[in-house]
Every structure is written in structure tokens, then in C-alpha cells.
């Protein structure tokens, strides 16, 4: 599988990166100066942590697509590609001569996945978009608002970018399946705003989905899941079923009023339910986290301590699964990173663990297209580097 990655930043490059981890040959074309995320956040040797996790296992060439020769290189690569990922703002790909119609002219079966912030058309289509902007526009920031002040809060990671990447790669594989069944190539459009709004709507818009609903339930049931303080840390508990609720009370030696034994009863007796939760919180506050977890485990109650990011490599389950791996990058030095989270029996992907340094594979890629003599001339003309 040959994938051409013409994108920068996060969403579309991450989609291409997922396929690289699964064994695709992904060629990343970067502009002069490199992808903006190379230097976003902690970075060593021109490789940031974000760039590493987004672009590992790819090959990379630096090409100035704005030049006629650079455009020709992209079209030549597209002629042999199965997939092309891009995230140009509306009108830019057309101006550069690398839009879907140009790529289709050299490869009728190519699948082009175009990622935009707000979509290719509409009143906001031309607006620049980053993850924080989309979190605000899609309702995520308002949903996370402080209950006391009403101040919106965005999630402290690029959730809209990453969700868009997952939708983009799934759509790409669906298009590949359709092509293999005779449907031919196509353009796939993925908008960050639509992905984020759709993702939120699934479980945070119950009342808005059921327009005729007039009951007491909140739109976002997950809002009830809140941290609980133990004597030495924080714990999350989700006792959804009646058995889990009874197990929670049993684990903490809390007597259950029979009026609260069922979910319907807890909804009908909200005052009693709130009082019982206050007692549960008081019992937890007196217990070390380890003891609270042991009690909940014994009663089969879903729970977890709030694990710090820095402690994830030592998480016992992740250690058992050998989910983290360590390596030495030629430019960035020692690295610890997650393995691809999806595992295939019979056909495990042989993925390369490192993101490329700027222009690392330019010579190899250009020589494969035009022959070794073309590299020096293109470099002298400033087309590649």
C-alpha cells in the first residue's frame, strides 16, 4: 500500500501515520522549513514528541510544491499512490495544481482524503482552524464548562485533531474496500467540526436528540462521573448497574436503603441517593487509594485511580502488554513511546519506530522517480532539500 502524505500539523498526518504503523509505505512531503509540529512542545534534534508520534514509520522528503518542478514530483508520486492525505485550506490545492482533479488525471484509481477545519464549503470554510478553535465551535468546550462559573474549558489534549484522524483513516480504508470491489477512486472529505460535533452528540445530547423528551434526565450522563478523594489520591468509580451499585455499598460498608436498590428508584429518590453518595465519599476519604481499590476489586465494581501521564509506563496492565517500547532516535536520542494500539494475529505490522529527520529520504524518493542524476539538479534549483 503506497500512501502520499501532503499534510502538516496533526489530523491528516496522524491518519497517514496510523497506516504507516500498520505496514503501509507512507511518503511524507514537507514544505521548506518542515512541518510546523516538528518544533511544537518538547523537541530534541528537530523532532518533537508530537511529531514523533504522528509521523513515525514514514519516509520523508522536503519538496517545494509551489514550484512547477515540485508540483511535478507530487503528481509523479500520486501516479503510483493508493491514497493521498492532504489538509489544504479551500482553494489552496487548486491553486497549487494538486487538487483531486489534478491527482485523478494522473491516477484514476487514487483515493484522496481531504481534511479541513470547517469543511470545504459554507460561511466558515475559509477560516483557519486549530484543535482549540474546533473544540469551542463544536460544543466540547461549553460541555466541559465549570459548573460554578460557567467558564468553558477545552480538553487538555488535541481531541478534535485525533478524532478527525481516526475518522479519516477509517474512511480511507472504507474507500479502499469499495475500490477493490470495483467502485474506483474518489475524494473523501473529512471536516474537524463535523467529526467533533458528531462525537459529542452521541452521548452528550440525549435531550437534543429526543426532541419530544421532557423528563428529568440530563443530556450528558457521563457528567455524573467525577473524581472521589481518597486519603492519598483520587479515584474514579462508575457503578452503573444495580449489582455494581450494591457492590459499591458493600465494599465500603454502607447500608443501602431499599428505595435505592434499582436505577429507577435512585432516579425517583434523588435526595436519598445524594445523601448516600455523600456517605460513600466520606468513607473513601478515610481510606488509602490502595485499600479502596482492593475493596472495590473484591466486589467487582468498575474503578480506577487517576493515573498521572508520567506514571503510565509503569501501569501494571500496560507493562504486562508491553505497550511501551524504548529506542534511540538518531537525532532525538532516547525515546519511550506507545506501540500501535491495534494488534493483528497472523499479520503483525513490522513498523519502524522513528519519525524521519527533515528530508531524510529525499534523495531515495527522488532517485526512484527521476533517477539519481535528477537529485542534484533539483536541489540546486531549490525544489528539494
Amino acid at each position: 500500500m503506497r500512501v502520499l502524505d501532503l499534510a502538516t500539523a496533526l489530523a491528516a498526518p496522524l491518519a497517514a501515520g496510523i497506516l504507516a504503523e500498520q505496514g503501509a509505505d507512507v511518503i511524507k512531503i514537507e514544505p521548506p522549513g518542515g512541518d510546523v509540529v516538528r518544533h511544537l512542545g518538547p523537541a530534541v534534534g528537530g523532532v518533537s514528541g508530537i511529531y514523533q508520534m504522528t509521523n513515525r514509520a514514514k519516509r520523508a522528503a522536503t519538496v517545494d510544491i509551489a514550484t512547477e518542478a515540485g508540483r511535478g514530483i507530487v503528481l509523479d508520486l500520486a501516479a503510483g499512490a493508493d491514497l493521498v492525505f492532504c489538509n489544504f485550506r479551500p482553494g489552496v490545492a487548486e491553486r497549487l495544481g494538486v487538487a483531486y482533479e489534478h491527482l485523478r488525471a494522473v491516477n484514476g484509481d487514487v483515493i484522496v482524503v481531504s481534511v479541513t477545519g470547517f469543511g470545504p464549503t459554507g460561511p466558515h470554510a475559509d477560516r483557519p482552524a486549530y484543535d482549540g478553535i474546533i473544540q469551542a465551535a463544536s460544543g466540547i468546550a461549553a460541555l466541559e464548562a465549570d459548573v460554578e462559573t460557567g467558564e468553558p474549558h477545552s480538553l487538555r489534549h488535541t481531541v478534535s485533531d485525533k478524532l478527525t484522524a481516526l475518522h479519516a483513516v477509517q474512511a480511507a480504508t472504507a474507500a479502499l474496500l469499495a475500490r477493490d470491489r470495483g467502485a474506483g477512486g474518489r475524494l473523501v472529505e473529512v471536516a474537524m467540526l463535523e467529526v467533533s460535533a458528531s462525537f459529542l452528540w452521541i452521548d452528550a445530547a440525549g435531550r437534543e436528540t429526543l426532541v419530544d423528551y421532557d423528563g428529568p434526565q440530563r443530556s450528558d450522563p457521563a457528567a455524573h462521573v467525577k473524581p472521589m478523594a481518597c486519603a492519598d489520591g483520587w479515584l474514579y468509580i462508575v457503578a452503573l448497574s444495580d449489582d455494581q451499585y450494591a457492590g459499591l455499598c458493600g465494599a465500603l460498608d454502607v447500608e443501602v436503603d431499599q428505595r435505592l436498590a434499582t436505577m429507577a428508584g435512585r432516579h425517583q429518590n434523588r435526595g436519598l441517593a445524594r445523601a448516600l453518595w455523600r456517605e460513600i465519599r466520606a468513607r473513601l476519604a478515610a481510606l488509602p487509594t490502595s485499600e479502596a481499590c482492593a475493596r472495590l476489586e473484591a466486589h467487582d465494581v468498575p474503578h480506577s485511580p487517576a493515573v498521572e501521564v508520567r506514571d503510565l509506563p509503569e501501569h501494571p496492565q500496560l507493562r504486562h502488554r508491553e505497550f511501551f517500547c524504548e529506542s534511540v532516535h538518531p537525532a532525538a536520542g532516547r525515546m519511550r513511546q506507545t506501540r500501535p494500539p491495534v494488534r493483528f494475529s497472523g499479520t503483525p505490522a513490522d513498523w519502524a519506530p522513528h519519525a524521519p529527520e527533515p528530508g531524510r529520504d529525499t534523495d531515495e524518493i527522488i532517485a526512484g522517480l527521476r533517477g539519481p542524476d535528477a537529485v542534484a539538479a533539483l536541489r540546486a534549483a531549490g525544489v528539494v532539500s
Side-chain angles (χ1 to χ4, degrees), residues 168-343:
V169 75
Q170 188 279 326
T173 54
L176 285 170
L177 177 61
R179 189 189 69 178
D180 287 350
R181 292 180 174 179
R186 67 196 57 222
L187 173 64
V188 179
E189 296 175 340
V190 187
M192 290 175 64
L193 176 62
E194 294 171 11
V195 166
S196 300
S198 172
F199 184 76
L200 174 145
W201 202 267
I202 293 169
D203 64 341
R207 299 176 73 96
E208 292 76 14
T209 298
L210 303 172
V211 179
D212 294 328
Y213 178 76
D214 60 358
Q217 290 279 14
R218 289 180 54 137
S219 283
D220 51 342
H224 295 294
V225 181
K226 296 178 180 179
M228 298 188 182
C230 293
D232 59 352
W234 295 92
L235 189 65
Y236 279 77
I237 299 171
V238 179
L240 188 61
S241 72
D242 295 340
D243 287 344
Q244 291 164 352
Y245 191 82
L248 170 62
C249 294
L252 299 176
D253 299 321
V254 174
E255 185 175 351
V256 184
D257 188 307
Q258 286 305 302
R259 288 173 289 180
L260 303 178
T262 66
M263 186 177 293
R266 293 189 287 277
H267 288 316
Q268 293 165 5
N269 298 276
R270 292 177 179 272
L272 286 174
R274 283 193 291 269
L276 189 139
W277 274 108
R278 286 195 292 270
E279 185 174 354
I280 288 172
R281 287 179 179 275
R283 298 288 177 95
L284 286 170
L287 295 174
T289 305
S290 58
E291 182 179 343
C293 288
R295 290 187 179 206
L296 295 167
E297 184 78 19
H299 286 77
D300 201 27
V301 179
H303 69 282
S304 177
V307 181
E308 297 276 358
V309 173
R310 64 174 179 268
D311 295 330
L312 280 174
E314 298 305 316
H315 190 290
Q317 179 64 23
L318 296 176
R319 286 179 60 191
H320 172 80
R321 296 285 292 167
E322 297 181 340
F323 185 58
F324 284 87
C325 62
E326 297 188 5
S327 61
V328 179
H329 189 283
R334 292 180 299 158
M335 285 188 169
R336 180 189 297 117
Q337 57 185 314
T338 62
R339 298 182 184 277
V342 178
R343 308 189 188 197

Side-chain angles (χ1 to χ4, degrees), residues 113-164:
V113 181
S114 174
V115 175
T116 57
F118 291 95
T121 62
H124 295 177
D126 291 329
R127 291 186 178 184
Y130 289 106
D131 184 272
I133 304 302
I134 299 299
Q135 286 199 42
S138 65
I140 292 175
L143 183 68
E144 299 296 322
D146 186 288
V147 295
E148 301 294 334
T149 67
E151 179 184 358
H153 288 284
S154 56
L155 299 177
R156 297 177 65 177
H157 59 103
T158 54
V159 62
S160 293
D161 270 313
K162 293 184 286 187
L163 287 172
T164 301

